[in-house]
Amino acid sequence: MNIVYREFEENLCEFFGNPIIGVFTDEPQNYRPFPWTADLPRRFEEEYGYDLIPHLGSLIEDSGDFADIRHDYYRLVTLMGREAYYDKLRAWTRTHDLHLTGHLGEEDFLEKLPHTNGDLYAPLSRLSMPGTDYLGSGHGLKENEVLSGAPNVNPKMAASVARTMGRSRTTCEIWGGAGWGVGPRTLKESLDWAAALGINLFFPHAVHVSLMGLRKRDFPPSHFYQQPYWDEFHVFSDYISRVSLITSTGSRRGGILVLFPTRALWASTTYI
């Protein structure tokens, strides 16, 4: 908080609200399996009434009451991660009347979820605009075109959290890694699919002021003046705005409720 957001506060506060309306947190996650802090054993015993240390083996092998132990461990890890990061960032943005959005790291690999974030709902529910990442330029019906492990699940999960929390906007960082050869026709296919899954505020990846050095190869393309279709891009932008308006002001009516198996993932996870 002090390294990043306090600096924003000290140097950019006059721009809060206009033009800066929010902050984007990009791919926060636990970058190693079995998240741990010095305080975790104490919190664990206070929460559940038993010592975790003698049962650590049950986190990596099916021994003892492994399902219950893993459930308790990942539930606490999720809670502590939310308290340490998302709750603090949420409080800071609320103090400055800013939106908080972004997406989780490796959210598209559900088998890694217990290690990386513990749960999807706990962190996303802390965002004023829950979000996701939609890589590539394909969609959920195309094979080998989306750089995602679960291209249909992530947008629906973020949109589901938004609806559950009464949030009108679900955001998406989109088209990262689509490559320099992709054009508006293909980009539109991907965008339409994401919109159908509940996304109604899009952040194109990326908009480079310059392509000097490694920028040219930093998960292209750039949706800016470097593109041959840039002079007409405003037509596409207008279309995105109109689609987003319709999907953010209408109401979604779903006849099917799908239960997301968070606790089953916790209980079945060993080492990834």
Side-chain angles (χ1 to χ4, degrees):
M1 294 293 294
N2 289 332
I3 293 175
V4 178
Y5 297 99
R6 294 289 181 254
E7 291 293 322
F8 289 167
E9 186 175 334
E10 292 179 5
N11 297 286
L12 299 173
C13 62
E14 63 182 295
F15 303 109
F16 287 176
N18 184 18
I20 300 174
I21 65 171
V23 296
F24 187 103
T25 180
D26 193 21
E27 300 192 8
Q29 62 173 303
N30 301 308
Y31 284 87
R32 293 289 184 272
F34 309 114
W36 194 268
T37 71
D39 197 40
L40 191 146
R42 180 191 64 80
R43 287 283 303 270
F44 190 95
E45 188 163 4
E46 288 180 356
E47 186 76 17
Y48 303 113
Y50 68 95
D51 186 2
L52 172 63
I53 302 301
H55 302 284
L56 288 177
S58 295
L59 297 179
I60 59 175
E61 59 183 25
D62 295 349
S63 62
D65 297 326
F66 68 90
D68 291 338
I69 292 168
R70 292 174 193 168
H71 171 276
D72 293 347
Y73 168 77
Y74 286 113
R75 177 180 174 275
L76 182 59
V77 164
T78 302
L79 175 63
M80 293 180 69
R82 191 193 73 191
E83 293 173 347
Y85 184 72
Y86 298 98
D87 286 350
K88 292 180 179 179
L89 191 49
R90 181 191 193 193
W92 185 85
T93 53
R94 284 188 166 186
T95 297
H96 297 285
D97 198 25
L98 296 171
H99 281 292
L100 173 59
T101 190
H103 73 91
L104 309 180
E106 296 199 87
E107 62 200 346
D108 44 355
F109 297 98
L110 300 182
E111 70 276 11
K112 296 182 179 181
L113 179 61
H115 291 310
T116 56
N117 295 286
D119 179 20
L120 287 175
Y121 184 84
L124 289 180
S125 66
R126 282 345 195 218
L127 309 185
S128 60
M129 296 188 292
T132 188
D133 196 2
Y134 207 63
L135 301 175
S137 59
H139 53 68
L141 293 182
K142 287 187 176 181
E143 296 182 0
N144 303 321
E145 290 199 33
V146 179
L147 305 175
S148 169
N152 294 324
V153 173
N154 296 334
K156 291 294 291 183
M157 280 298 301
S160 178
V161 173
R163 289 195 297 274
T164 301
M165 300 301 296
R167 313 280 163 72
S168 62
R169 291 286 190 172
T170 306
T171 68
C172 181
E173 179 185 352
I174 195 167
W175 303 320
W180 286 111
V182 70
R185 182 191 297 272
T186 304
L187 297 177
K188 180 180 179 297
E189 290 181 2
S190 179
L191 180 129
D192 287 346
W193 187 260
L197 294 176
I199 303 301
N200 55 25
L201 184 57
F202 296 90
F203 303 137
H205 184 293
V207 180
H208 291 313
V209 175
S210 168
L211 296 182
M212 294 286 289
L214 293 177
R215 298 179 185 91
K216 184 177 181 179
R217 297 167 181 82
D218 180 21
F219 230 52
S222 170
H223 306 281
F224 201 20
Y225 68 90
Q226 299 93 351
Q227 294 288 4
Y229 52 77
W230 171 247
D231 289 342
E232 306 299 329
F233 194 78
H234 65 93
V235 178
F236 189 27
S237 296
D238 289 344
Y239 171 78
I240 298 172
S241 297
R242 293 170 73 86
V243 169
S244 299
L245 175 64
I246 293 172
T247 54
S248 61
T249 56
S251 60
R252 180 179 295 271
R253 300 195 177 200
I256 299 175
L257 179 66
V258 178
L259 180 65
F260 189 78
T262 298
R263 288 178 173 81
L265 284 171
W266 290 348
S268 62
T269 293
T270 53
Y271 177 78
I272 296 178

